[in-house]
Amino acid sequence: MSPLGLFTVLLGAALPLIDFFIVNVALPAIDADLAAGPAMLELVVGGYGVAYSVLLVLGGRLGDMAGRRRLFLIGMAAFGVTSLACGLAPTAWTLVAARVAQGAAAALMLPQVLATIQATTQGPRRARAMSLYGATAGLSMVAGQILGGVLVAADVAGSGWRSVFLVNVPVVLVGLVLAVRAAVPETRSDRPASVDVPGTLLLAVTLVSLLLPLTEGRAAGWPLWTWISLAVSPLAAVAFYLTERRADRLGRTPLVPPSLLRLVSLRRGLVMLLPFSIGFSGFMFAFAVALQQGLRMGPVEAGLALVPLAVAFFAASLAGPRLVGRYGSRVVTAGGIVQAAGIGLLAATVWYGWSGLGLAALAPGVALAGLGQGLQLPVLMRLMLSDVPADRAGVGSGVMVTTQQSSLALGVATVGSLFLALTAALGMRQALTVTLLGQLGLIALTVLLSLRLPRTMR
């Protein structure tokens, strides 16, 4: 794959992740314009995340079958159309519907990126491409909130919050032109399998029954349906596992082959990715709310507060391949320790300096946290897919990205809801401090789990 082709697929990887976070700083403006209310606002965030998470593995399987370049183009075009629908939505309910459709389009596009990289690169080229993918993923999540703040404040042509979605349309058009002309190669599995309908449905039930009540429960007052749904989730998960194991034993190709999870690098990496992503998204949500509602910063200033994190993350991502060559997966462990130092410093800064807290005081802790995250995420993503065979690249990447995306949605639903509940009970300063200390616990878990990762990497 040419450098321009790699740039094009990385652009496709950036768009879905940017749009998961870009709405965080736009929520107050959406609420004011559409009279959405807390429950509807959480659906604007959660509806996208749930649809995205549920369909990612299916998107990877379809790419293996029908051709990854073809699915990439279809997914990107659909993402542009649904982004336009979000930007033109006249009511809160139509915005939620458009966001769900946008998440589905993203699920068609994103798995093809990693699968194409896996299928068309080897050795050092693959290592560089995977490092760039990891850097793109991390930076996109940070850039989403920065860009969202700038666009809302700019109020381009009076569009207000709508610009955070409409900006995708010209980017998608550029991406489609590049994808057609930049020789993004067409790849597919040598042994394409049919869609695993029972597995797909059971995975959808598992994720929806877990993520939807966690997303909506607090704002809706935890009605009976949320508890019933949460009770269904583990039962559906067990049924999903048994169904997939039976299909694997019968020689069929399940949606998530249990044999794929026997790869040590993938299995242990997925276990670590879960707390890392929960903590990351929970922090991003709580931080955005605290800066705007607690410290009364405008959307631009709230976005600028994350610039040190983005810069440090990018620098660490660039250094990652060289450090991995020398220290192996212990780079991930070191990154967790650095991230913990940054979050600890940030918690102390919030607790002792809340009154008059500004960007300069926040910058050291935010930068350290970004440096640590940049040493972890790109390396971890590269490690997880290092042993996945090329003909199963779509399934492998779908499993990894589904775990990441589900965890991001889970982080907003759990850590975000905890933060909002603590804010009502204790106040913003105390709530943010407790939330940051809770994230330290998640970071400690990732550090311990990183010690079980394979030491050397291909």
Side-chain angles (χ1 to χ4, degrees):
M1 182 162 51
S2 68
L4 188 56
L6 178 61
F7 171 82
T8 304
V9 295
L10 290 179
L11 179 64
L15 284 170
L17 289 167
I18 286 174
D19 266 62
F20 184 87
F21 288 93
I22 200 169
V23 297
N24 282 350
V25 292
L27 291 176
I30 294 173
D31 188 21
D33 187 29
L34 300 182
M40 197 65 69
L41 288 177
E42 294 204 16
L43 272 179
V44 170
V45 178
Y48 176 88
V50 170
Y52 188 18
S53 304
V54 165
L55 297 172
L56 273 165
V57 179
L58 179 61
R61 171 63 59 82
L62 291 174
D64 287 348
M65 292 170 53
R68 292 157 187 152
R69 180 177 181 270
R70 179 183 298 175
L71 263 291
F72 179 80
L73 289 169
I74 292 171
M76 181 170 275
F79 192 84
V81 171
T82 52
S83 295
L84 181 63
C86 288
L88 299 178
T91 66
W93 273 114
T94 52
L95 176 58
V96 169
R99 282 284 283 173
V100 170
Q102 190 187 35
L108 287 180
M109 176 171 57
L110 186 61
Q112 320 315 327
V113 176
L114 277 171
T116 300
I117 291 173
Q118 286 289 103
T120 59
T121 59
Q122 297 180 21
R125 289 185 62 217
R126 178 181 292 179
R128 283 194 297 270
M130 287 302 301
S131 295
L132 286 171
Y133 175 86
T136 300
L139 284 173
S140 298
M141 292 186 273
V142 181
Q145 289 191 193
I146 297 173
L147 179 61
V150 171
L151 288 172
V152 171
D155 192 21
V156 181
S159 57
W161 60 267
R162 298 177 186 277
S163 60
V164 304
F165 301 114
L166 296 175
V167 71
N168 291 331
V169 177
V171 176
V172 163
L173 291 175
V174 171
L176 289 172
V177 171
L178 289 176
V180 172
R181 296 192 173 184
V184 173
E186 179 64 280
T187 62
R188 67 186 73 207
S189 174
D190 294 331
R191 295 173 295 172
S194 59
V195 173
D196 174 16
V197 176
T200 300
L201 292 176
L202 284 170
L203 179 62
V205 171
T206 300
L207 293 175
V208 170
S209 60
L210 173 66
L211 295 175
L212 189 60
L214 288 176
T215 299
E216 282 295 289
R218 185 196 61 83
W222 296 105
L224 179 61
W225 73 263
T226 60
W227 298 107
I228 294 174
S229 182
L230 287 171
V232 166
S233 183
L235 300 176
V238 171
F240 172 69
Y241 173 75
L242 294 176
T243 300
E244 299 299 272
R245 187 176 67 175
R246 182 173 182 273
D248 215 10
R249 286 177 175 175
L250 292 175
R252 302 170 189 159
T253 306
L255 188 70
V256 180
S259 57
L260 196 64
L261 299 179
R262 286 198 283 269
L263 296 172
V264 174
S265 55
L266 179 63
R267 184 178 68 252
R268 293 183 179 176
L270 289 173
V271 171
M272 183 182 162
L273 186 64
L274 184 66
F276 177 90
S277 299
I278 288 173
F280 189 101
S281 63
F283 164 78
M284 295 289 283
F285 177 81
F287 199 58
V289 173
L291 293 184
Q292 291 187 91
Q293 296 183 11
L295 295 174
R296 302 300 175 189
M297 291 184 182
V300 173
E301 194 175 5
L304 290 176
L306 291 169
V307 168
L309 191 152
V311 172
F313 189 105
F314 184 65
S317 300
L318 292 179
R322 186 169 63 254
L323 293 172
V324 167
R326 187 168 181 180
Y327 301 108
S329 64
R330 292 299 173 259
V331 172
V332 179
T333 306
I337 294 170
V338 173
Q339 184 190 6
I343 294 297
L345 177 58
L346 193 57
T349 302
V350 168
W351 182 255
Y352 291 107
W354 181 257
S355 179
L357 193 60
L359 299 184
L362 292 169
V366 171
L368 264 181
L371 185 67
Q373 290 165 342
L375 290 173
Q376 294 175 83
L377 186 60
V379 178
L380 188 59
M381 287 185 163
R382 173 184 162 189
L383 173 71
M384 281 188 283
L385 295 179
S386 59
D387 295 323
V388 176
D391 65 336
R392 304 178 90 179
V395 177
S397 61
V399 170
M400 186 190 77
V401 179
T402 296
T403 302
Q404 181 194 30
Q405 189 59 43
S406 300
S407 302
L408 291 174
L410 196 57
V412 173
T414 55
V415 179
S417 294
L418 173 65
F419 167 73
L420 293 174
L422 289 171
T423 298
L426 304 174
M428 192 72 70
R429 171 192 172 212
Q430 290 88 338
L432 183 57
T433 304
V434 172
T435 303
L436 290 171
L437 293 177
Q439 191 187 357
L440 277 178
L442 290 172
I443 295 170
L445 178 59
T446 63
V447 170
L448 291 174
L449 291 171
S450 72
L451 297 176
R452 300 187 69 247
L453 295 174
R455 182 65 183 269
T456 57
M457 296 175 59
R458 291 195 297 167

